Amino acid sequence: QSVLTQPPSASGTPGQRVTISCSGSSSDLGSNTVNWYQQLPGTAPKLLIYADIQRPSGVPHRFSGSRSGTSASLAISGLQSADEAEYHCAAWDGSQNVYVFGTGTKVTVL
Amino acid sequence: EVRLVQSGAEVKKPGESLTISCQGYGYGFNGFWIAWVRQMPGKGLEWMGRVDPSDSYVDYSPSFEGHVTISVDESINTAFLQWSSLKASDTAMYYCARPLGNSGYEYYFDYWGQGTLVTVSS
């Protein structure tokens, strides 16, 4: 089962913009939309972005997503200390009929 | 309010069996699949498989097929994850989650359980 590739860490100072990449293949990101989950320390993941760019109700506009080809990215603008968390990308893999997650990126606010 | 409520933490010895559960509240349980996701200590998320409560159909990730059993009892709105013989490497947090659809662009988890920590140690 393949996984999506993310950088292990990212960081920024309060107010900065941070971008996290997510790299996949033709059968996952190349064929289906990407979803992003935020996991605060010691808690269950929470849906942050779905269908590439959509934000569930209650998610601040500071969070935005995009996808092109077999890659996707999550941007956090106006970084806040409350954004310190692990971020996971994910997508459906139509060739294996499985849901694949990224390797996860820990965001630190300096 | 939609909620997925999981059973409590477990401490087991290698070779023992275990079943953990996930009960759905606040929505039509039969209308949505339930998936199980593993998170080993300090690691990322892994999709283990899913069950359709309407007909008990189960899909497994190739990485987990044969190692766990996923089932459902729709009469009590509950999905289960079962091991017949635990190993130390099964030590992890296990989450259940509800996807909106069954594949493709609709497959994302809008609701998650709180997690069940399984510790396997002699």
Side-chain angles (χ1 to χ4, degrees), chain A residues 1 32 35 37 39 99 101, chain B residues 39 45 47 61 95 104 107 109:
Chain A
Q1 178 177 344
N32 288 295
N35 311 300
Y37 300 91
Q39 187 174 25
Y99 194 56
F101 284 99
Chain B
Q39 187 168 38
L45 304 171
W47 187 85
S61 159
Y95 295 101
Y107 201 85
F109 300 128

Side-chain angles (χ1 to χ4, degrees), chain A residues 1 32-33 35 37 39 42-47 49-51 86 88 91-92 96-104, chain B residues 37 39 43-47 50 59-64 95 102-110 112-115:
Chain A
Q1 178 177 344
N32 288 295
T33 54
N35 311 300
Y37 300 91
Q39 187 174 25
T43 69
K46 165 194 154 187
L47 182 65
I49 298 284
Y50 66 95
E86 190 91 7
H88 310 271
W92 183 258
Q96 300 184 74
N97 279 337
V98 297
Y99 194 56
V100 290
F101 284 99
T103 47
Chain B
V37 176
Q39 187 168 38
K43 301 298 185 183
L45 304 171
E46 301 171 271
W47 187 85
R50 59 180 179 166
D59 256 351
Y60 292 98
S61 159
S63 300
F64 291 92
Y95 295 101
N102 65 356
S103 66
Y105 70 92
E106 287 188 327
Y107 201 85
Y108 55 86
F109 300 128
D110 52 358
W112 293 73
Q114 81 276 19

Side-chain angles (χ1 to χ4, degrees), chain B residues 11 13 23-25 32 44 54 58-60 70 95 111:
Chain B
V11 179
K13 291 181 166 42
Q23 189 166 16
Y25 294 89
F32 298 85
S54 69
V58 178
D59 256 351
Y60 292 98
I70 294 172
Y95 295 101
Y111 292 96

Side-chain angles (χ1 to χ4, degrees), chain B residues 2-121:
Chain B
V2 174
R3 288 186 301 143
L4 296 176
V5 179
Q6 297 185 229
S7 49
E10 302 274 1
V11 179
K12 291 288 188 179
K13 291 181 166 42
E16 291 186 331
S17 63
L18 174 65
T19 299
I20 63 174
S21 66
C22 169
Q23 189 166 16
Y25 294 89
Y27 72 99
F29 189 73
N30 277 2
F32 298 85
W33 294 67
I34 291 287
W36 287 95
V37 176
R38 182 176 79 174
Q39 187 168 38
M40 298 178 76
K43 301 298 185 183
L45 304 171
E46 301 171 271
W47 187 85
M48 302 175 70
R50 59 180 179 166
V51 60
D52 182 348
S54 69
D55 61 6
S56 300
Y57 177 80
V58 178
D59 256 351
Y60 292 98
S61 159
S63 300
F64 291 92
E65 186 150 27
H67 299 288
V68 296
T69 300
I70 294 172
S71 61
V72 67
D73 184 344
E74 54 97 13
S75 69
I76 54 171
N77 289 0
T78 302
F80 302 96
L81 179 64
Q82 180 183 355
W83 293 261
S84 59
S85 180
L86 286 160
K87 303 174 185 174
S89 57
D90 292 318
T91 294
M93 182 71 82
Y94 292 88
Y95 295 101
C96 63
R98 190 194 84 165
L100 183 71
N102 65 356
S103 66
Y105 70 92
E106 287 188 327
Y107 201 85
Y108 55 86
F109 300 128
D110 52 358
Y111 292 96
W112 293 73
Q114 81 276 19
T116 296
L117 181 62
V118 174
T119 304
V120 184
S121 174

Side-chain angles (χ1 to χ4, degrees), chain A residues 12 15 19 22 43 48 52 56 62 65-66 74 87 92 99:
Chain A
T19 301
C22 174
T43 69
L48 191 67
D52 295 339
R62 304 185 293 104
S66 64
L74 172 72
Y87 293 84
W92 183 258
Y99 194 56

